[in-house]
Amino acid sequence: MRLDKYLKVSRIIKRRTVAKEACDGGRVTVNGKVAKAGAEIKEGDIMEIRFGNRIGKYQITDVREVVRKENAAEMYRVLEEDPAVAAERG
């Protein structure tokens, strides 16, 4: 699955266009490498996102095309996250 779509489906980032901008701006890394919006992600990948000076680090545990809002948090495991990022994510 494309990285920008995963960010939207998992609801880490609410809109796909914002996810694409974050990826293209070099603010998202996958397994330690800067990733573009079209990068393919898979289970087990470690993803790090910079929101300004705040950082969120997640491990991808599930990749699904469609997921209900209530189950979106099951698609990743939080490894490290700024409290403000957690509040924005919900």
Side-chain angles (χ1 to χ4, degrees):
M1 175 184 290
R2 288 175 53 102
L3 177 58
D4 59 340
K5 183 170 182 179
Y6 179 83
L7 289 169
K8 190 252 184 232
V9 170
S10 66
R11 292 178 173 76
I12 293 174
I13 296 179
K14 303 291 188 229
R15 293 188 329 225
R16 189 166 177 181
T17 54
V18 175
K20 184 178 182 333
E21 290 169 2
C23 295
D24 292 343
R27 295 189 306 263
V28 180
T29 61
V30 175
N31 297 326
K33 298 178 186 167
V34 174
K36 295 292 183 187
E40 287 294 314
I41 53 102
K42 60 189 179 310
E43 292 179 16
D45 285 347
I46 304 295
M47 178 174 52
E48 189 172 295
I49 307 169
R50 288 191 326 269
F51 301 94
N53 60 352
R54 302 166 302 184
I55 293 179
K57 191 171 186 179
Y58 312 93
Q59 180 177 21
I60 298 169
T61 57
D62 192 10
V63 177
R64 286 184 272 167
E65 293 287 327
V66 179
V67 65
R68 295 182 54 87
K69 185 177 183 179
E70 306 84 46
N71 302 329
E74 298 170 3
M75 294 182 68
Y76 58 90
R77 183 168 57 106
V78 177
L79 300 176
E80 181 183 325
E81 190 172 60
D82 189 274
V85 174
E88 287 176 10
R89 193 171 43 81

